[in-house]
Amino acid sequence: MPRKPVVCLAGTLDTKGTEYAYVRDALIAAGVEVLVVDCGVLGAPYFAPDIAASEIADRAGIRLDDFAGSVEGAGGRILAVAKMSEGLRSLLTELTEEGRIDAILGLGGTGGTDLLSGALKNLDIGVPKLIVSTMASNNTRPYIGHSDMMMMNAVTDIAGLNRISKQVLINAAHAAAGMARGYELTRSHAAASKPLIAISMFGVTTPGVMRIRERLENEGFEVVTFHAVGEGAGMEHLIDKGVIDGLIDFTLPEILNHWHKGIFDPGCDRMKAATRSAIPQVVVPGAAECFNFGARETVPAEFDTEERNVLIHNPNVTSLLATPDEMRRLGAYIAEHVNNSAGPAAVGIPLDGLDNYFKPGSQWNGVDVTPLLTSLRAGLNPSIEVIEKNTNINDPDFADAVFELFQKQWSRHRDLVPTAPAATA
């Protein structure tokens, strides 16, 4: 007889015990089993957990006695949170890899969210993970990182039960129970049956990407598209994790956004992951000439100049143009990263516009990006194959040429991958 789905309920049972007991009972009533993990360091748990805080501490190489009764001072608190998070991560990794749990749920204020998120966000994509947090109505990026972890707004502080908190907590319990029941199906959808190709995309490069995606899917690939509004960091992360099998880096505005701290800053140097992974790639300098701020009035004075040719993309996004010096630097940057690719790499260059901003009737129609393209060509190693087309990046002819160029890199990659020796009788 198959076992019931199991939700791991993890957190500090010394300070949030009442709330954890309520959620535990709600999970059981929802028809799942519960594995309770205590991460508290200040005192005895409100109720007996299945896995004690001492085991979590042991996994992190600390002793609970060092924190018993107090974590006064920033150093003590930070160390306690970091170490218990480390121990929890070790435990959850083991439990998920062994198939002993089907979802993880936690509750936290600022410290609890730090502790839980440090463990949960590092679990594999697809593992159901949810935190009810007082920080969920704020900037959640530091907690979620590049993961699929979910955060649910606690609305009130997690400090007692009342008619508001009970509704939030029981909804969280039902959500975790539902995800746990569906986890087996989730895993079946994740079975790796097709090569997964990543493509970077912006609104103004969408038509080209859509055509390439269609052609890839028709050839038996699976495609994941990353919106170049900071999500490029997630793409880099997944390449490093070995999840991505090939890359068409079609859209690169995040480079300038990172340099100028624009609203689409990915928080990392783009194009680095492909220098560490042997996946095949094609790079196109789509939208590389621009960076972005919010509404028109939010553009910093230092960038609000005639040279930037400020363009209102929509009421909440403004695009600015690179200077000639920045374009030369961009070309050199792109060339350097392509040259350092660990796998087969090639470059596609559209000569009649790097995005739809260059189309007739657009404010940037006729903008000169020669400094970028000249620098890019000059910096590339002679061994790097380059195609150039007298088209806009979104024209079907260019998209088709990029698809065919990727197919060549894919074939080169496949030829380079050693095949396993045949089994002997």
Side-chain angles (χ1 to χ4, degrees):
M1 183 176 179
R3 66 167 175 79
K4 284 185 178 181
V6 179
V7 174
C8 177
L9 184 61
T12 53
L13 303 190
D14 49 2
T15 59
K16 309 291 184 190
T18 303
E19 297 80 10
Y20 271 94
Y22 180 79
V23 173
R24 176 202 57 189
D25 293 345
L27 286 166
I28 293 170
V32 298
E33 294 186 357
V34 185
L35 179 74
V36 179
V37 178
D38 183 23
C39 302
V41 299
L42 294 179
Y46 181 76
F47 62 91
D50 297 296
I51 297 178
S54 57
E55 179 176 335
I56 304 303
D58 287 345
R59 286 174 175 265
I62 60 171
R63 298 182 329 118
L64 285 183
D65 290 349
D66 294 338
F67 301 101
S70 174
V71 285
E72 291 181 4
R77 180 180 177 82
I78 291 170
L79 180 61
V81 167
K83 285 297 184 180
M84 294 303 281
S85 181
E86 180 184 321
L88 180 62
R89 177 182 176 183
S90 169
L91 173 68
L92 294 179
T93 299
E94 181 179 300
L95 292 174
T96 54
E97 288 179 351
E98 293 177 355
R100 293 165 57 191
I101 59 174
D102 304 288
I104 304 102
L105 173 61
L107 327 171
T110 55
T113 302
D114 277 334
L115 190 161
L116 291 164
S117 67
L120 271 62
K121 70 182 178 183
N122 286 293
L123 299 176
D124 288 344
I125 283 181
V127 176
K129 35 198 175 283
L130 170 64
I131 301 176
V132 181
S133 171
T134 59
M135 300 303 291
S137 64
N138 207 315
N139 175 19
T140 60
R141 187 171 184 177
Y143 305 106
I144 293 174
H146 310 305
S147 77
D148 62 340
M149 187 189 85
M150 290 169 277
M151 291 182 71
M152 182 175 178
N153 188 16
V155 183
T156 69
D157 199 357
I158 301 175
L161 298 173
N162 53 65
R163 69 176 69 178
I164 296 174
S165 65
K166 284 180 179 179
Q167 293 180 78
V168 172
L169 294 176
I170 201 166
N171 276 340
H174 290 160
M179 288 190 290
R181 282 192 288 268
Y183 185 40
E184 185 174 348
L185 179 61
T186 299
R187 284 184 295 194
S188 73
H189 280 270
S193 57
K194 299 178 180 179
L196 183 62
I197 311 304
I199 309 183
S200 53
M201 184 177 80
F202 218 33
V204 289
T205 63
T206 296
V209 170
M210 292 297 96
R211 185 173 179 90
I212 294 169
R213 186 187 76 178
E214 181 180 6
R215 294 207 60 185
L216 285 167
E217 289 174 344
N218 288 341
E219 289 296 318
F221 294 98
E222 197 171 57
V223 180
V224 54
T225 304
F226 290 89
H227 200 186
V229 293
E231 290 182 4
M235 184 177 77
E236 302 270 328
H237 172 74
L238 291 175
I239 292 170
D240 279 333
K241 293 275 284 184
V243 175
I244 305 299
D245 300 304
L247 170 65
I248 299 178
D249 215 347
F250 199 77
T251 313
L252 300 174
E254 290 166 314
I255 299 172
L256 264 181
N257 271 278
H258 185 50
W259 293 353
H260 293 319
K261 303 305 177 190
I263 59 170
F264 299 146
D265 179 4
C268 66
D269 290 329
R270 278 281 276 105
M271 303 181 67
K272 286 285 190 183
T275 69
R276 298 184 289 261
S277 168
I279 62 171
Q281 70 163 334
V282 172
V283 173
V284 178
E289 84 291 346
C290 75
F291 63 106
N292 309 88
F293 290 103
R296 178 65 181 83
E297 62 272 15
T298 69
V299 176
E302 64 184 291
F303 295 116
D304 197 353
T305 63
E306 184 177 349
E307 186 177 34
R308 295 296 182 182
N309 202 342
V310 178
L311 184 156
I312 299 174
H313 180 80
N314 64 40
N316 296 304
V317 177
T318 307
S319 297
L320 289 79
L321 187 66
T323 65
D325 282 345
E326 288 169 352
M327 288 191 195
R328 282 186 280 272
R329 183 182 168 196
L330 279 166
Y333 178 98
I334 295 168
E336 177 186 2
H337 286 74
V338 173
N339 291 341
N340 290 330
S341 297
V347 172
I349 299 176
L351 299 175
D352 194 25
L354 303 181
D355 48 61
N356 274 347
Y357 289 147
F358 292 79
K359 289 279 191 178
S362 173
Q363 183 176 322
W364 286 5
N365 178 243
V367 161
D368 183 15
V369 293
T370 301
L372 192 163
L373 301 184
T374 300
S375 176
L376 173 57
R377 292 187 193 99
L380 287 170
N381 290 338
S383 60
I384 301 295
E385 182 176 1
V386 180
I387 60 158
E388 299 190 11
K389 303 282 285 185
N390 288 308
T391 63
N392 184 276
I393 193 172
N394 290 310
D395 290 345
D397 284 352
F398 184 75
D400 290 344
V402 169
F403 165 76
E404 290 161 8
L405 189 58
F406 176 78
Q407 286 280 62
K408 292 176 68 174
Q409 309 318 307
W410 181 259
S411 295
R412 289 178 58 204
H413 167 72
R414 193 169 50 193
D415 292 342
L416 291 171
V417 174
T419 56
T424 56

